[in-house]
Amino acid sequence: MNNRYAVVALFAAALLATAMLAGRSEGALRIGLWAVAVAEVAVILTLLARRS
């Protein structure tokens, strides 16, 4: 398994956990967690777009 795909899987798991926390939170914490989720999606897309 390519190391890049292992990192993508790790970020995908972090994204799932962040989304679950954001769904249970309220107020500014919820907004911050969704911002982290957006950043995690950007990292995942960047890693997948890279050529090996």
Side-chain angles (χ1 to χ4, degrees), residues 15 18-19 32-42:
L15 175 62
T18 303
L33 286 172
W34 282 118
V36 169
V38 168
E40 289 170 348
V41 168

Side-chain angles (χ1 to χ4, degrees), residues 16-37:
L16 180 62
T18 303
M20 288 175 50
L21 282 173
R24 295 181 182 170
S25 303
E26 48 186 61
L29 179 60
R30 174 179 260 177
I31 294 169
L33 286 172
W34 282 118
V36 169

